[in-house]
């Protein structure tokens, strides 16, 4: 079982450019999440989606947008990247409320 | 005050030692609790869920005290392979809907 897959695994991006981080899950989970992880700050929620067709803002949503056109895919877009968006990005999904989250392998993004 | 707090460590212990990690959370309406393990530059992976009655999985024991809003993880007979960062995770309905809130993690190094 593939589980949850992110692409790319790493990327160097020029400031001002746009980029979409892809996330796909094959577990038919309702909820999906995007986190960023920075040294000393832990994982912080960027955006979430409780079910296909709905999205919500997390703790650090500025500069990011998401869509949830179907159950499987939850792409994260940076419209105009800035160096402070250099981070490791994790996509996650969960089946029902109160059940565990499963994570993708992460995307390491460097904005220069 | 952060929603989920942990001692960041590092904890440096010899092989065979017993080590305990603590975690506190601020939202009394939190509904489910987990310990995740994260290896360097990898995604977090579920170690165990935490139940009010306490639960054990081999060398690992987790406890939850809802009255004190406190979660613990005990690792007995530490192995070199236990070296990792341990994340305390709380699932709650808060400012960002129903989602997972992560502690900053406690780093464990098991030494030969």
């Amino acid at each position: 079982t593939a589980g949850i897959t992110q692409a790319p695994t790493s990327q160097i991006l020029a400031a001002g450019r746009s980029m979409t981080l892809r996330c796909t899950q094959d577990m038919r989970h309702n909820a999906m999440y995007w986190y960023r992880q920075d040294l000393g700050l832990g994982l912080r929620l960027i955006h979430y989606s409780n079910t296909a067709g709905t999205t919500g803002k997390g703790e650090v949503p500025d500069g990011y947008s998401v869509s949830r056109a179907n159950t499987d895919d939850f792409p994260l877009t940076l419209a105009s990247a800035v160096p402070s968006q250099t981070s490791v990005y994790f996509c996650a999904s969960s089946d029902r409320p109160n059940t565990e989250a499963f994570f993708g392998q992460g995307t390491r993004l460097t904005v220069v | 005050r952060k929603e989920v707090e942990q001692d960041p460590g590092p904890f440096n212990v010899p092989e065979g030692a017993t080590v305990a990690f603590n975690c506190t959370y601020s939202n009394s309406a939190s509904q489910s609790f987990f310990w995740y393990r994260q290896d360097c530059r990898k995604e977090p992976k579920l170690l165990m869920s935490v139940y009010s009655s306490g639960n054990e999985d081999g060398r690992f024991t987790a406890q939850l005290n809802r009255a004190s809003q406190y979660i613990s993880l005990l690792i007995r007979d530490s192995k070199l392979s236990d070296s990792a960062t341990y994340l305390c995770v709380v699932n709650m309905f808060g400012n960002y809907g129903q989602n997972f809130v992560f502690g900053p993690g406690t780093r464990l190094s098991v030494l030969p």
Side-chain angles (χ1 to χ4, degrees), chain A residues 35 37 48 98-99 101 103-104, chain B residues 31-32 36 38 43 96 100:
Chain A
Y35 293 90
Q37 187 173 33
Y48 66 95
N98 301 320
T99 60
F103 283 82
Chain B
Q31 297 170 328
S32 54
Y36 276 71
Q38 186 174 27
E43 73 272 24
Y96 315 115
F100 299 88

Side-chain angles (χ1 to χ4, degrees), chain B residues 90-112:
Chain B
V90 176
N91 186 291
M92 64 176 73
F93 191 88
N95 293 332
Y96 315 115
Q98 181 103 31
N99 77 91
F100 299 88
V101 180
F102 289 78
T106 298
R107 210 165 94 212
L108 172 66
S109 292
V110 181
L111 308 173

Side-chain angles (χ1 to χ4, degrees), chain B residues 44-107:
Chain B
K45 292 186 177 178
L46 180 69
L47 179 66
M48 57 198 305
S49 301
V50 187
Y51 305 114
S52 295
S53 55
N55 48 302
E56 187 174 309
D57 183 1
R59 297 181 294 108
F60 300 86
T61 300
Q63 297 275 355
L64 167 65
N65 184 322
R66 283 189 183 269
S68 302
Q69 296 179 204
Y70 170 93
I71 306 160
S72 66
L73 177 68
L74 185 75
I75 305 176
R76 291 180 299 278
D77 190 21
S78 299
K79 312 291 185 190
L80 295 176
S81 57
D82 293 334
S83 297
T85 297
Y86 291 83
L87 304 172
C88 176
V89 184
V90 176
N91 186 291
M92 64 176 73
F93 191 88
N95 293 332
Y96 315 115
Q98 181 103 31
N99 77 91
F100 299 88
V101 180
F102 289 78
T106 298
R107 210 165 94 212

